[in-house]
Amino acid sequence: MSIDRVQLSGKKILEKDFKTGIRGYSQEEVDEFLDIIIQDYDNFKQEIDRLNEEIEKLKNNRPTTEAPRARSTQQSSQVNYDVLKRLSNLEKAVFGKRYADSDE
């Protein structure tokens, strides 16, 4: 839910005037409850603002991750090639040339 779509604010709740009926609610109880709601709305608004600021900070401080990943993949494939080459040489040394030729 976007904060822009919120229909109530602490001020709107405070200024809301209800009609009284013959057997209506206690005005003091309603006012006390509305005061609690106003405090909660204000606290939620502050927390939302704080979180939005934190999101913006994180977006601005985020390092670009695409370039390091590309380098990492390239380094990884180079390491894999080296490991495979070493393994091939080791197999030739252990099992002899005949084993290496039959595998290819």
Side-chain angles (χ1 to χ4, degrees):
M1 176 166 83
S2 171
I3 190 71
D4 299 330
R5 294 181 18 182
V6 175
Q7 296 179 20
L8 296 175
S9 67
K11 184 177 179 182
K12 284 183 180 180
I13 295 170
L14 181 64
E15 293 174 349
K16 177 67 177 164
D17 200 21
F18 296 94
K19 297 177 186 175
T20 54
I22 296 172
R23 297 174 63 173
Y25 295 104
S26 164
Q27 190 169 352
E28 279 184 30
E29 282 183 51
V30 172
D31 286 345
E32 288 173 8
F33 188 72
L34 290 175
D35 287 343
I36 294 169
I37 294 172
I38 290 169
Q39 288 175 351
D40 283 350
Y41 262 78
D42 291 342
N43 290 337
F44 291 144
K45 172 84 169 85
Q46 288 175 1
E47 181 66 8
I48 290 169
D49 291 343
R50 185 190 69 76
L51 291 172
N52 283 331
E53 287 176 14
E54 187 175 336
I55 288 170
E56 287 304 314
K57 284 180 186 176
L58 291 172
K59 283 181 180 178
N60 293 336
N61 293 336
R62 178 178 53 183
T64 54
T65 57
E66 297 305 318
R69 282 186 187 164
R71 282 188 297 238
S72 175
T73 304
Q74 184 180 13
Q75 289 172 349
S76 171
S77 65
Q78 181 65 35
V79 169
N80 288 342
Y81 177 76
D82 291 342
V83 169
L84 291 174
K85 187 69 174 167
R86 284 181 179 172
L87 184 60
S88 175
N89 290 338
L90 183 61
E91 287 174 339
K92 286 178 188 175
V94 171
F95 297 110
K97 184 166 175 45
R98 192 180 308 155
Y99 174 78
D101 292 339
S102 67
D103 203 26
E104 293 176 358

